[in-house]
Amino acid sequence: MTFLIILGVILLLLEAILFLPVGVSVKFRDDFRVKIKFAGITVYKINTDETEQPEKKDTEKDKKTEEKDKKQEKKLFTRLKDKHGFSGAVKSVMSFLLTCLTHIKKLLRHIKVKDIRLNITVGTEDAAKTAVEYGTVCTAVYPVLSLLDTCRNINFKKIAVKSDFTHESADFDFSLTVTMQIFFILIAAFKILGEYKKFISEEDIQ
């Protein structure tokens, strides 16, 4: 009897923990950064800028290994730009985000978006090319924004997609801060991680 009482208490505590609200911050500028906070304390963090580089070995590496190492040193967005150009890289990232949001669409009603920001500036050395690139970026961004507009739990949203015809400048970054229960974080993380691995594999930029 005592064992059943203890087991019941443990199960209740686990259930309570699973449904406690947790803050999740996601940022993308050249690479993804994720931070999870519970009661104001960071309990999990992925920051690719702080990823430790592997120690160099004394033995010589073959050419393929060296090329792969150099490739991995580049930020994700830089690798995408090298492959697709700026607008193509934005299109690739937004397509990935749209896929992720579609997969967790049923969970969105359980997620409170406290802050979402998107800033994209398109500029090239040629005005006509800038116009084309800007059109491509807008086409890529629109489906994601449309899907987010269906989410009623967004409290603040700041979106800026603009063109710069006077300078050769291109910039892309976004940030997202949400509150959700641990239970839904685990479900969303499982689905998004699968899509991320698929995305990296298909882009051949791992």
Side-chain angles (χ1 to χ4, degrees):
M1 186 68 178
T2 303
F3 171 75
L4 292 177
I5 293 175
I6 294 174
L7 180 62
V9 171
I10 292 173
L11 291 175
L12 286 173
L13 287 173
L14 288 175
E15 184 178 0
I17 291 172
L18 284 174
F19 288 94
L20 284 173
V22 176
V24 180
S25 174
V26 179
K27 294 182 179 181
F28 183 87
R29 186 179 180 87
D30 296 329
D31 231 328
F32 283 103
R33 301 169 185 83
V34 180
K35 185 181 293 183
I36 299 177
K37 285 188 174 183
F38 176 69
I41 301 172
T42 300
V43 296
Y44 183 76
K45 181 171 67 172
I46 297 177
N47 190 336
T48 51
D49 286 345
E50 298 177 357
T51 303
E52 295 183 1
Q53 297 297 325
E55 294 182 1
K56 293 183 179 179
K57 297 181 179 180
D58 295 333
T59 57
E60 292 185 2
K61 297 179 180 179
D62 57 48
K63 188 175 180 180
K64 289 184 179 179
T65 304
E66 289 179 354
E67 289 177 353
K68 185 176 181 180
D69 289 344
K70 289 180 180 179
K71 188 177 181 181
Q72 288 178 331
E73 288 176 1
K74 292 184 177 181
K75 303 298 183 184
L76 173 62
F77 194 67
T78 300
R79 283 177 274 162
L80 288 171
K81 282 194 295 183
D82 290 345
K83 184 177 181 180
H84 302 295
F86 178 78
S87 62
V90 173
K91 183 178 179 180
S92 183
V93 173
M94 298 308 291
S95 177
F96 166 68
L97 290 176
L98 182 62
T99 301
C100 290
L101 288 171
T102 301
H103 275 70
I104 65 170
K105 189 174 182 179
K106 292 182 179 180
L107 300 177
L108 292 180
R109 64 178 180 270
H110 302 289
I111 300 173
K112 183 177 181 180
V113 182
K114 298 170 65 178
D115 185 14
I116 179 170
R117 299 170 185 267
L118 174 66
N119 180 53
I120 304 177
T121 302
V122 182
T124 68
E125 72 284 353
D126 179 72
K129 184 179 178 181
T130 296
V132 173
E133 295 263 304
Y134 177 72
T136 301
V137 168
C138 288
T139 301
V141 170
Y142 179 75
V144 176
L145 297 183
S146 295
L147 194 152
L148 288 174
D149 280 340
T150 64
C151 180
R152 298 179 180 179
N153 297 327
I154 298 180
N155 288 341
F156 181 74
K157 181 169 60 177
K158 185 177 181 180
I159 309 297
V161 182
K162 53 187 179 294
S163 57
D164 187 347
F165 292 99
T166 60
H167 297 88
E168 183 180 347
S169 61
D171 188 48
F172 171 50
D173 69 86
F174 78 85
S175 61
L176 178 70
T177 303
V178 303
T179 300
M180 68 180 90
Q181 295 163 332
I182 296 176
F183 176 75
F184 296 112
I185 287 180
L186 295 175
I187 297 175
F190 179 77
K191 293 184 177 182
I192 291 174
L193 181 59
E195 286 302 320
Y196 181 74
K197 290 181 177 179
K198 183 180 177 181
F199 168 70
I200 294 298
S201 177
E202 289 179 348
E203 288 289 347
D204 191 26
I205 54 175
Q206 61 268 58

